[in-house]
Amino acid sequence: MPGIGDGAGRLLNKWRSKPSLDWLIVIVFVGAHFAWVQWSGSGDLLGQPKLEQRLEIYTTGATVVAIVGSFVIAAIAQYSTASGQRMRALRAAEHLASQFRRNWVSILSATLVIAGACLLATILDVTEGDGGGVHWLVETALILGSVRALRLVWLFNAVLFASDLDLADQNPGATRSGS
């Protein structure tokens, strides 16, 4: 009889193989938060600050995601240049290679979408109280960024793990120090 851990593992594997599920996660979180704000009249974190502070939040969001984008490029470069047996097998196995490509592209494209949404918000949010709800666009973008950051950490860890194992295979006499 499968346990809870088995179901969670299958759910995690499904999430890893389908970056489009991130949008469902974002919709659920933003929708639940929006419903809470409408029902309770409180908890609208990005809607409460005045215009100047919201604009700072928007530009900071764009800046942070641009910096994360550079890490994404570095991770992709590491993935594409690693030459060990496991990395070659990872890139050659059709189902794994396509899964990794989908994930890298989804993360990289999300950084562009998030930065664009934050910068667009600086143009559209021109009133003191954000009556147009532009801050919800930014909240959606930032939550997408958070979900894609988790995906990036998973991918980066997978690449580092495979690279480390390949390196250990190449240097069987090397010992680990520290830890």
Side-chain angles (χ1 to χ4, degrees), residues 4 13 22 29 32 35 46 65 69 82 88 91 97 106 137 141-142:
I4 293 174
N13 285 335
D22 293 354
F29 272 88
L46 292 180
V65 80
R88 282 193 304 273
R91 287 195 301 268
S106 74
L137 170 70
L142 295 178

Side-chain angles (χ1 to χ4, degrees), residues 56-74:
E56 286 181 27
I57 292 167
Y58 303 160
T59 55
T60 301
T63 302
V64 167
V65 80
I67 292 168
V68 170
S70 67
F71 292 126
V72 172
I73 298 300

Side-chain angles (χ1 to χ4, degrees), residues 24-49:
L24 178 62
I25 294 168
V26 169
I27 290 167
V28 167
F29 272 88
V30 174
H33 183 227
F34 182 79
W36 172 259
V37 168
Q38 295 302 308
W39 179 76
S40 70
S42 65
D44 191 3
L45 299 176
L46 292 180
Q48 290 176 348

Side-chain angles (χ1 to χ4, degrees), residues 119-178:
L119 294 174
L120 181 63
T122 64
I123 296 168
L124 297 176
D125 191 351
V126 294
T127 61
E128 195 59 40
D130 185 26
V134 174
H135 69 280
W136 289 106
L137 170 70
V138 173
E139 180 172 324
T140 301
L142 295 178
I143 291 175
L144 175 63
S146 298
V147 175
R148 292 286 163 95
L150 292 173
R151 189 173 292 282
L152 176 61
V153 168
W154 165 71
L155 279 169
F156 216 172
N157 184 55
V159 169
L160 289 174
F161 184 72
S163 295
D164 287 349
L165 289 176
D166 284 340
L167 183 60
D169 289 347
Q170 293 171 4
N171 301 314
T175 60
R176 294 183 188 189
S177 61

